[in-house]
mmCIF file of all heavy atoms in Angstrom:
data_model
loop_
_atom_site.group_PDB
_atom_site.id
_atom_site.type_symbol
_atom_site.label_atom_id
_atom_site.label_comp_id
_atom_site.label_asym_id
_atom_site.label_seq_id
_atom_site.Cartn_x
_atom_site.Cartn_y
_atom_site.Cartn_z
ATOM 1 N N GLY A 159 0.783 -1.246 0.010
ATOM 2 C CA GLY A 159 -0.013 -0.006 -0.013
ATOM 3 C C GLY A 159 0.814 1.261 0.009
ATOM 4 O O GLY A 159 0.385 2.289 -0.494
ATOM 5 N N GLY A 160 2.049 1.240 0.600
ATOM 6 C CA GLY A 160 2.844 2.433 0.681
ATOM 7 C C GLY A 160 3.830 2.600 -0.450
ATOM 8 O O GLY A 160 4.607 3.575 -0.511
ATOM 9 N N ASP A 161 3.845 1.632 -1.377
ATOM 10 C CA ASP A 161 4.816 1.646 -2.505
ATOM 11 C C ASP A 161 4.248 2.311 -3.703
ATOM 12 O O ASP A 161 3.038 2.558 -3.822
ATOM 13 C CB ASP A 161 5.245 0.224 -2.828
ATOM 14 C CG ASP A 161 6.071 -0.427 -1.720
ATOM 15 O OD1 ASP A 161 6.939 0.264 -1.173
ATOM 16 O OD2 ASP A 161 5.815 -1.582 -1.387
ATOM 17 N N TYR A 162 5.120 2.565 -4.669
ATOM 18 C CA TYR A 162 4.685 3.232 -5.910
ATOM 19 C C TYR A 162 4.674 2.157 -7.059
ATOM 20 O O TYR A 162 5.539 1.310 -7.097
ATOM 21 C CB TYR A 162 5.701 4.291 -6.314
ATOM 22 C CG TYR A 162 5.593 5.594 -5.519
ATOM 23 C CD1 TYR A 162 6.223 5.736 -4.309
ATOM 24 C CD2 TYR A 162 4.821 6.643 -6.010
ATOM 25 C CE1 TYR A 162 6.108 6.922 -3.603
ATOM 26 C CE2 TYR A 162 4.728 7.834 -5.295
ATOM 27 C CZ TYR A 162 5.409 7.965 -4.089
ATOM 28 O OH TYR A 162 5.341 9.103 -3.370
ATOM 29 N N LEU A 163 3.712 2.321 -7.946
ATOM 30 C CA LEU A 163 3.848 1.658 -9.227
ATOM 31 C C LEU A 163 4.781 2.550 -10.053
ATOM 32 O O LEU A 163 4.569 3.764 -10.126
ATOM 33 C CB LEU A 163 2.480 1.545 -9.921
ATOM 34 C CG LEU A 163 2.564 1.044 -11.369
ATOM 35 C CD1 LEU A 163 1.431 0.036 -11.656
ATOM 36 C CD2 LEU A 163 2.555 2.115 -12.423
ATOM 37 N N CYS A 164 5.769 1.964 -10.658
ATOM 38 C CA CYS A 164 6.715 2.693 -11.456
ATOM 39 C C CYS A 164 6.775 2.148 -12.852
ATOM 40 O O CYS A 164 7.065 0.910 -13.035
ATOM 41 C CB CYS A 164 8.105 2.663 -10.820
ATOM 42 S SG CYS A 164 9.389 3.622 -11.695
ATOM 43 N N SER A 165 6.485 2.946 -13.843
ATOM 44 C CA SER A 165 6.580 2.542 -15.246
ATOM 45 C C SER A 165 7.332 3.634 -16.010
ATOM 46 O O SER A 165 6.980 4.787 -15.923
ATOM 47 C CB SER A 165 5.158 2.367 -15.841
ATOM 48 O OG SER A 165 5.240 1.901 -17.148
ATOM 49 N N VAL A 166 8.360 3.172 -16.711
ATOM 50 C CA VAL A 166 9.251 4.148 -17.389
ATOM 51 C C VAL A 166 9.315 3.812 -18.914
ATOM 52 O O VAL A 166 9.584 2.664 -19.276
ATOM 53 C CB VAL A 166 10.718 4.054 -16.827
ATOM 54 C CG1 VAL A 166 11.640 4.910 -17.618
ATOM 55 C CG2 VAL A 166 10.689 4.477 -15.378
ATOM 56 N N ALA A 167 8.948 4.799 -19.695
ATOM 57 C CA ALA A 167 9.108 4.695 -21.148
ATOM 58 C C ALA A 167 10.472 5.270 -21.567
ATOM 59 O O ALA A 167 10.916 6.243 -20.994
ATOM 60 C CB ALA A 167 8.009 5.442 -21.878
ATOM 61 N N TYR A 168 11.126 4.609 -22.514
ATOM 62 C CA TYR A 168 12.487 5.020 -22.875
ATOM 63 C C TYR A 168 12.759 4.772 -24.352
ATOM 64 O O TYR A 168 12.047 3.998 -24.998
ATOM 65 C CB TYR A 168 13.468 4.319 -22.000
ATOM 66 C CG TYR A 168 13.507 2.810 -22.128
ATOM 67 C CD1 TYR A 168 14.287 2.156 -23.066
ATOM 68 C CD2 TYR A 168 12.677 2.002 -21.293
ATOM 69 C CE1 TYR A 168 14.267 0.775 -23.189
ATOM 70 C CE2 TYR A 168 12.660 0.652 -21.413
ATOM 71 C CZ TYR A 168 13.448 0.016 -22.383
ATOM 72 O OH TYR A 168 13.454 -1.349 -22.512
ATOM 73 N N ALA A 169 13.833 5.366 -24.861
ATOM 74 C CA ALA A 169 14.327 5.165 -26.194
ATOM 75 C C ALA A 169 15.830 4.826 -26.123
ATOM 76 O O ALA A 169 16.523 5.353 -25.222
ATOM 77 C CB ALA A 169 14.089 6.415 -27.044
ATOM 78 N N VAL A 170 16.278 3.992 -27.035
ATOM 79 C CA VAL A 170 17.709 3.597 -27.054
ATOM 80 C C VAL A 170 18.324 3.976 -28.357
ATOM 81 O O VAL A 170 17.788 3.774 -29.451
ATOM 82 C CB VAL A 170 17.787 2.096 -26.857
ATOM 83 C CG1 VAL A 170 19.279 1.657 -26.703
ATOM 84 C CG2 VAL A 170 17.005 1.594 -25.609
ATOM 85 N N ASP A 171 19.511 4.634 -28.285
ATOM 86 C CA ASP A 171 20.177 5.014 -29.596
ATOM 87 C C ASP A 171 21.127 3.909 -30.029
ATOM 88 O O ASP A 171 21.273 2.822 -29.374
ATOM 89 C CB ASP A 171 20.871 6.379 -29.402
ATOM 90 C CG ASP A 171 22.139 6.290 -28.487
ATOM 91 O OD1 ASP A 171 22.569 5.206 -28.165
ATOM 92 O OD2 ASP A 171 22.603 7.404 -28.106
ATOM 93 N N SER A 172 21.799 4.148 -31.116
ATOM 94 C CA SER A 172 22.676 3.131 -31.745
ATOM 95 C C SER A 172 23.850 2.819 -30.907
ATOM 96 O O SER A 172 24.511 1.779 -31.076
ATOM 97 C CB SER A 172 23.119 3.593 -33.130
ATOM 98 O OG SER A 172 23.775 4.843 -33.041
ATOM 99 N N ASP A 173 24.217 3.690 -29.933
ATOM 100 C CA ASP A 173 25.349 3.412 -29.057
ATOM 101 C C ASP A 173 24.911 2.754 -27.715
ATOM 102 O O ASP A 173 25.755 2.503 -26.846
ATOM 103 C CB ASP A 173 26.081 4.707 -28.700
ATOM 104 C CG ASP A 173 26.751 5.331 -29.900
ATOM 105 O OD1 ASP A 173 27.293 4.563 -30.716
ATOM 106 O OD2 ASP A 173 26.765 6.562 -30.051
ATOM 107 N N GLY A 174 23.606 2.487 -27.581
ATOM 108 C CA GLY A 174 23.154 1.808 -26.404
ATOM 109 C C GLY A 174 22.816 2.791 -25.310
ATOM 110 O O GLY A 174 22.532 2.323 -24.147
ATOM 111 N N VAL A 175 22.848 4.097 -25.477
ATOM 112 C CA VAL A 175 22.477 5.046 -24.468
ATOM 113 C C VAL A 175 20.948 5.033 -24.326
ATOM 114 O O VAL A 175 20.207 5.024 -25.346
ATOM 115 C CB VAL A 175 22.983 6.455 -24.821
ATOM 116 C CG1 VAL A 175 22.494 7.481 -23.756
ATOM 117 C CG2 VAL A 175 24.476 6.447 -24.902
ATOM 118 N N ILE A 176 20.472 5.049 -23.126
ATOM 119 C CA ILE A 176 19.051 4.928 -22.859
ATOM 120 C C ILE A 176 18.490 6.313 -22.391
ATOM 121 O O ILE A 176 18.987 6.921 -21.486
ATOM 122 C CB ILE A 176 18.777 3.911 -21.715
ATOM 123 C CG1 ILE A 176 19.295 2.557 -22.141
ATOM 124 C CG2 ILE A 176 17.273 3.835 -21.419
ATOM 125 C CD1 ILE A 176 19.416 1.553 -21.013
ATOM 126 N N TYR A 177 17.466 6.771 -23.119
ATOM 127 C CA TYR A 177 16.865 8.056 -22.830
ATOM 128 C C TYR A 177 15.463 7.885 -22.274
ATOM 129 O O TYR A 177 14.583 7.382 -22.934
ATOM 130 C CB TYR A 177 16.770 8.906 -24.128
ATOM 131 C CG TYR A 177 18.121 9.194 -24.754
ATOM 132 C CD1 TYR A 177 18.696 8.224 -25.628
ATOM 133 C CD2 TYR A 177 18.811 10.364 -24.532
ATOM 134 C CE1 TYR A 177 19.912 8.492 -26.219
ATOM 135 C CE2 TYR A 177 20.023 10.606 -25.098
ATOM 136 C CZ TYR A 177 20.599 9.651 -25.939
ATOM 137 O OH TYR A 177 21.813 9.907 -26.497
ATOM 138 N N VAL A 178 15.283 8.265 -21.026
ATOM 139 C CA VAL A 178 13.955 8.182 -20.424
ATOM 140 C C VAL A 178 13.084 9.242 -21.046
ATOM 141 O O VAL A 178 13.430 10.460 -21.106
ATOM 142 C CB VAL A 178 14.042 8.425 -18.880
ATOM 143 C CG1 VAL A 178 12.622 8.588 -18.293
ATOM 144 C CG2 VAL A 178 14.786 7.297 -18.198
ATOM 145 N N THR A 179 11.934 8.843 -21.553
ATOM 146 C CA THR A 179 11.041 9.801 -22.248
ATOM 147 C C THR A 179 9.768 10.079 -21.449
ATOM 148 O O THR A 179 9.142 11.163 -21.621
ATOM 149 C CB THR A 179 10.619 9.281 -23.623
ATOM 150 O OG1 THR A 179 9.980 7.978 -23.482
ATOM 151 C CG2 THR A 179 11.882 9.113 -24.489
ATOM 152 N N ASP A 180 9.362 9.202 -20.545
ATOM 153 C CA ASP A 180 8.139 9.411 -19.824
ATOM 154 C C ASP A 180 8.112 8.508 -18.583
ATOM 155 O O ASP A 180 8.753 7.454 -18.585
ATOM 156 C CB ASP A 180 6.923 9.141 -20.627
ATOM 157 C CG ASP A 180 5.741 10.065 -20.268
ATOM 158 O OD1 ASP A 180 5.744 10.611 -19.161
ATOM 159 O OD2 ASP A 180 4.793 10.182 -21.118
ATOM 160 N N VAL A 181 7.383 8.908 -17.558
ATOM 161 C CA VAL A 181 7.320 8.161 -16.314
ATOM 162 C C VAL A 181 5.906 8.192 -15.757
ATOM 163 O O VAL A 181 5.309 9.233 -15.749
ATOM 164 C CB VAL A 181 8.328 8.733 -15.244
ATOM 165 C CG1 VAL A 181 8.112 8.052 -13.905
ATOM 166 C CG2 VAL A 181 9.779 8.524 -15.702
ATOM 167 N N THR A 182 5.444 7.061 -15.312
ATOM 168 C CA THR A 182 4.265 7.004 -14.461
ATOM 169 C C THR A 182 4.691 6.475 -13.132
ATOM 170 O O THR A 182 5.201 5.364 -12.972
ATOM 171 C CB THR A 182 3.214 6.046 -15.059
ATOM 172 O OG1 THR A 182 2.774 6.542 -16.329
ATOM 173 C CG2 THR A 182 2.008 5.952 -14.165
ATOM 174 N N TYR A 183 4.506 7.317 -12.116
ATOM 175 C CA TYR A 183 4.991 7.020 -10.777
ATOM 176 C C TYR A 183 3.894 7.332 -9.803
ATOM 177 O O TYR A 183 3.684 8.536 -9.519
ATOM 178 C CB TYR A 183 6.257 7.775 -10.492
ATOM 179 C CG TYR A 183 7.108 7.270 -9.317
ATOM 180 C CD1 TYR A 183 7.752 6.043 -9.349
ATOM 181 C CD2 TYR A 183 7.264 8.056 -8.178
ATOM 182 C CE1 TYR A 183 8.500 5.611 -8.352
ATOM 183 C CE2 TYR A 183 8.041 7.619 -7.123
ATOM 184 C CZ TYR A 183 8.675 6.412 -7.212
ATOM 185 O OH TYR A 183 9.476 5.933 -6.143
ATOM 186 N N THR A 184 3.162 6.359 -9.342
ATOM 187 C CA THR A 184 1.898 6.672 -8.625
ATOM 188 C C THR A 184 1.612 5.661 -7.571
ATOM 189 O O THR A 184 2.031 4.475 -7.604
ATOM 190 C CB THR A 184 0.717 6.728 -9.625
ATOM 191 O OG1 THR A 184 -0.451 7.052 -8.911
ATOM 192 C CG2 THR A 184 0.551 5.426 -10.353
ATOM 193 N N GLN A 185 0.817 6.098 -6.559
ATOM 194 C CA GLN A 185 0.343 5.220 -5.528
ATOM 195 C C GLN A 185 -1.185 4.998 -5.702
ATOM 196 O O GLN A 185 -1.834 4.499 -4.790
ATOM 197 C CB GLN A 185 0.609 5.861 -4.172
ATOM 198 C CG GLN A 185 2.092 5.895 -3.808
ATOM 199 C CD GLN A 185 2.378 6.610 -2.514
ATOM 200 O OE1 GLN A 185 1.860 7.687 -2.255
ATOM 201 N NE2 GLN A 185 3.188 6.001 -1.638
ATOM 202 N N GLU A 186 -1.712 5.377 -6.904
ATOM 203 C CA GLU A 186 -3.121 5.141 -7.151
ATOM 204 C C GLU A 186 -3.411 3.631 -7.204
ATOM 205 O O GLU A 186 -2.558 2.794 -7.426
ATOM 206 C CB GLU A 186 -3.520 5.806 -8.487
ATOM 207 C CG GLU A 186 -3.480 7.303 -8.473
ATOM 208 C CD GLU A 186 -4.664 7.932 -7.775
ATOM 209 O OE1 GLU A 186 -5.518 7.152 -7.280
ATOM 210 O OE2 GLU A 186 -4.712 9.170 -7.670
ATOM 211 N N ALA A 187 -4.705 3.288 -7.079
ATOM 212 C CA ALA A 187 -5.146 1.910 -7.170
ATOM 213 C C ALA A 187 -4.880 1.321 -8.577
ATOM 214 O O ALA A 187 -4.682 2.076 -9.530
ATOM 215 C CB ALA A 187 -6.647 1.809 -6.804
ATOM 216 N N MET A 188 -4.823 -0.022 -8.613
ATOM 217 C CA MET A 188 -4.439 -0.675 -9.883
ATOM 218 C C MET A 188 -5.359 -0.294 -11.065
ATOM 219 O O MET A 188 -4.872 -0.098 -12.152
ATOM 220 C CB MET A 188 -4.481 -2.219 -9.647
ATOM 221 C CG MET A 188 -3.748 -3.010 -10.703
ATOM 222 S SD MET A 188 -1.945 -2.941 -10.472
ATOM 223 C CE MET A 188 -1.726 -4.125 -9.138
ATOM 224 N N GLU A 189 -6.616 -0.199 -10.821
ATOM 225 C CA GLU A 189 -7.545 0.105 -11.952
ATOM 226 C C GLU A 189 -7.298 1.531 -12.523
ATOM 227 O O GLU A 189 -7.589 1.751 -13.667
ATOM 228 C CB GLU A 189 -9.025 -0.028 -11.501
ATOM 229 C CG GLU A 189 -9.384 0.845 -10.305
ATOM 230 C CD GLU A 189 -9.228 0.139 -8.978
ATOM 231 O OE1 GLU A 189 -8.454 -0.833 -8.929
ATOM 232 O OE2 GLU A 189 -9.833 0.606 -7.964
ATOM 233 N N VAL A 190 -6.712 2.410 -11.659
ATOM 234 C CA VAL A 190 -6.348 3.738 -12.151
ATOM 235 C C VAL A 190 -4.981 3.724 -12.821
ATOM 236 O O VAL A 190 -4.831 4.312 -13.912
ATOM 237 C CB VAL A 190 -6.389 4.771 -10.997
ATOM 238 C CG1 VAL A 190 -5.924 6.175 -11.484
ATOM 239 C CG2 VAL A 190 -7.783 4.844 -10.350
ATOM 240 N N SER A 191 -4.034 3.079 -12.191
ATOM 241 C CA SER A 191 -2.662 3.098 -12.767
ATOM 242 C C SER A 191 -2.573 2.332 -14.074
ATOM 243 O O SER A 191 -1.743 2.692 -14.945
ATOM 244 C CB SER A 191 -1.706 2.457 -11.730
ATOM 245 O OG SER A 191 -2.083 1.155 -11.412
ATOM 246 N N GLU A 192 -3.476 1.333 -14.276
ATOM 247 C CA GLU A 192 -3.470 0.622 -15.567
ATOM 248 C C GLU A 192 -3.775 1.549 -16.690
ATOM 249 O O GLU A 192 -3.063 1.552 -17.736
ATOM 250 C CB GLU A 192 -4.560 -0.502 -15.477
ATOM 251 C CG GLU A 192 -4.224 -1.703 -14.646
ATOM 252 C CD GLU A 192 -5.449 -2.549 -14.403
ATOM 253 O OE1 GLU A 192 -6.551 -2.182 -14.835
ATOM 254 O OE2 GLU A 192 -5.291 -3.625 -13.821
ATOM 255 N N ARG A 193 -4.736 2.426 -16.553
ATOM 256 C CA ARG A 193 -5.080 3.382 -17.588
ATOM 257 C C ARG A 193 -4.000 4.446 -17.755
ATOM 258 O O ARG A 193 -3.698 4.869 -18.857
ATOM 259 C CB ARG A 193 -6.428 4.068 -17.272
ATOM 260 C CG ARG A 193 -7.586 3.137 -17.226
ATOM 261 C CD ARG A 193 -8.906 3.859 -17.050
ATOM 262 N NE ARG A 193 -9.991 2.949 -17.031
ATOM 263 C CZ ARG A 193 -10.524 2.370 -15.978
ATOM 264 N NH1 ARG A 193 -9.980 2.653 -14.783
ATOM 265 N NH2 ARG A 193 -11.532 1.562 -15.998
ATOM 266 N N MET A 194 -3.338 4.796 -16.643
ATOM 267 C CA MET A 194 -2.244 5.831 -16.720
ATOM 268 C C MET A 194 -1.114 5.269 -17.535
ATOM 269 O O MET A 194 -0.538 5.991 -18.379
ATOM 270 C CB MET A 194 -1.813 6.171 -15.299
ATOM 271 C CG MET A 194 -2.842 6.904 -14.474
ATOM 272 S SD MET A 194 -2.322 7.136 -12.754
ATOM 273 C CE MET A 194 -0.944 8.310 -12.956
ATOM 274 N N VAL A 195 -0.737 4.013 -17.288
ATOM 275 C CA VAL A 195 0.380 3.424 -18.011
ATOM 276 C C VAL A 195 0.010 3.199 -19.501
ATOM 277 O O VAL A 195 0.819 3.476 -20.374
ATOM 278 C CB VAL A 195 0.835 2.125 -17.371
ATOM 279 C CG1 VAL A 195 1.864 1.390 -18.225
ATOM 280 C CG2 VAL A 195 1.369 2.346 -15.977
ATOM 281 N N ALA A 196 -1.212 2.753 -19.779
ATOM 282 C CA ALA A 196 -1.652 2.512 -21.145
ATOM 283 C C ALA A 196 -1.573 3.859 -21.928
ATOM 284 O O ALA A 196 -1.140 3.896 -23.111
ATOM 285 C CB ALA A 196 -3.055 1.956 -21.155
ATOM 286 N N THR A 197 -2.020 4.946 -21.339
ATOM 287 C CA THR A 197 -1.993 6.204 -21.953
ATOM 288 C C THR A 197 -0.541 6.660 -22.217
ATOM 289 O O THR A 197 -0.213 7.215 -23.310
ATOM 290 C CB THR A 197 -2.693 7.266 -21.084
ATOM 291 O OG1 THR A 197 -4.034 6.920 -20.881
ATOM 292 C CG2 THR A 197 -2.620 8.650 -21.704
ATOM 293 N N MET A 198 0.324 6.370 -21.273
ATOM 294 C CA MET A 198 1.737 6.741 -21.431
ATOM 295 C C MET A 198 2.392 5.955 -22.640
ATOM 296 O O MET A 198 3.116 6.544 -23.418
ATOM 297 C CB MET A 198 2.559 6.436 -20.161
ATOM 298 C CG MET A 198 4.035 6.809 -20.226
ATOM 299 S SD MET A 198 4.942 6.237 -18.835
ATOM 300 C CE MET A 198 5.096 4.489 -19.213
ATOM 301 N N LEU A 199 2.031 4.674 -22.737
ATOM 302 C CA LEU A 199 2.590 3.897 -23.843
ATOM 303 C C LEU A 199 2.158 4.422 -25.173
ATOM 304 O O LEU A 199 2.944 4.523 -26.137
ATOM 305 C CB LEU A 199 2.146 2.430 -23.669
ATOM 306 C CG LEU A 199 2.601 1.696 -22.402
ATOM 307 C CD1 LEU A 199 2.116 0.265 -22.400
ATOM 308 C CD2 LEU A 199 4.122 1.700 -22.304
ATOM 309 N N GLU A 200 0.902 4.787 -25.284
ATOM 310 C CA GLU A 200 0.354 5.342 -26.518
ATOM 311 C C GLU A 200 1.009 6.712 -26.824
ATOM 312 O O GLU A 200 1.390 6.948 -27.964
ATOM 313 C CB GLU A 200 -1.153 5.500 -26.432
ATOM 314 C CG GLU A 200 -1.776 6.046 -27.699
ATOM 315 C CD GLU A 200 -3.270 6.194 -27.567
ATOM 316 O OE1 GLU A 200 -3.830 5.807 -26.530
ATOM 317 O OE2 GLU A 200 -3.929 6.699 -28.510
ATOM 318 N N ARG A 201 1.198 7.544 -25.839
ATOM 319 C CA ARG A 201 1.745 8.857 -25.985
ATOM 320 C C ARG A 201 3.202 8.778 -26.484
ATOM 321 O O ARG A 201 3.671 9.691 -27.189
ATOM 322 C CB ARG A 201 1.681 9.585 -24.646
ATOM 323 C CG ARG A 201 2.122 11.036 -24.722
ATOM 324 C CD ARG A 201 1.753 11.748 -23.389
ATOM 325 N NE ARG A 201 2.366 11.144 -22.235
ATOM 326 C CZ ARG A 201 1.671 10.696 -21.184
ATOM 327 N NH1 ARG A 201 0.343 10.681 -21.195
ATOM 328 N NH2 ARG A 201 2.281 10.171 -20.136
ATOM 329 N N ASN A 202 3.923 7.735 -26.092
ATOM 330 C CA ASN A 202 5.316 7.631 -26.467
ATOM 331 C C ASN A 202 5.600 6.666 -27.568
ATOM 332 O O ASN A 202 6.703 6.286 -27.833
ATOM 333 C CB ASN A 202 6.104 7.207 -25.196
ATOM 334 C CG ASN A 202 6.206 8.317 -24.147
ATOM 335 O OD1 ASN A 202 7.116 9.149 -24.142
ATOM 336 N ND2 ASN A 202 5.217 8.344 -23.241
ATOM 337 N N ASP A 203 4.504 6.217 -28.233
ATOM 338 C CA ASP A 203 4.654 5.355 -29.404
ATOM 339 C C ASP A 203 5.443 4.069 -29.031
ATOM 340 O O ASP A 203 6.339 3.622 -29.761
ATOM 341 C CB ASP A 203 5.312 6.073 -30.535
ATOM 342 C CG ASP A 203 5.177 5.318 -31.902
ATOM 343 O OD1 ASP A 203 4.161 4.587 -32.002
ATOM 344 O OD2 ASP A 203 6.026 5.506 -32.750
ATOM 345 N N ILE A 204 5.115 3.454 -27.926
ATOM 346 C CA ILE A 204 5.804 2.253 -27.451
ATOM 347 C C ILE A 204 5.105 1.076 -28.067
ATOM 348 O O ILE A 204 3.842 0.958 -28.069
ATOM 349 C CB ILE A 204 5.738 2.127 -25.898
ATOM 350 C CG1 ILE A 204 6.367 3.360 -25.261
ATOM 351 C CG2 ILE A 204 6.437 0.873 -25.439
ATOM 352 C CD1 ILE A 204 7.831 3.597 -25.600
ATOM 353 N N ARG A 205 5.855 0.120 -28.584
ATOM 354 C CA ARG A 205 5.342 -1.102 -29.185
ATOM 355 C C ARG A 205 5.686 -2.355 -28.390
ATOM 356 O O ARG A 205 5.060 -3.357 -28.547
ATOM 357 C CB ARG A 205 5.903 -1.211 -30.647
ATOM 358 C CG ARG A 205 5.366 -0.189 -31.643
ATOM 359 C CD ARG A 205 3.901 -0.376 -31.837
ATOM 360 N NE ARG A 205 3.281 0.665 -32.711
ATOM 361 C CZ ARG A 205 2.660 1.706 -32.237
ATOM 362 N NH1 ARG A 205 2.524 1.854 -30.962
ATOM 363 N NH2 ARG A 205 2.148 2.626 -33.093
#
């Protein structure tokens, strides 16, 4: 109950450097955080 759901969207370049592009970091209930992460994936064109 006191922990965070953490979801990080990122991009990787040809040298292997990792660029964080978006973060969902929340203590909301699962039914809320599911939609938050889904929206983040769509926003960042994650496949």
Side-chain angles (χ1 to χ4, degrees):
D161 293 317
Y162 285 85
L163 175 140
C164 182
S165 184
V166 174
Y168 61 90
V170 186
D171 69 13
S172 57
D173 293 324
V175 177
I176 301 167
Y177 300 84
V178 171
T179 58
D180 213 341
V181 171
T182 298
Y183 196 66
T184 180
Q185 293 176 312
E186 293 283 359
M188 197 77 80
E189 57 269 18
V190 176
S191 59
E192 289 168 353
R193 295 186 180 90
M194 294 172 68
V195 173
T197 301
M198 182 189 75
L199 298 180
E200 180 180 358
R201 184 169 61 239
N202 290 270
D203 194 26
I204 303 298
R205 291 292 177 261

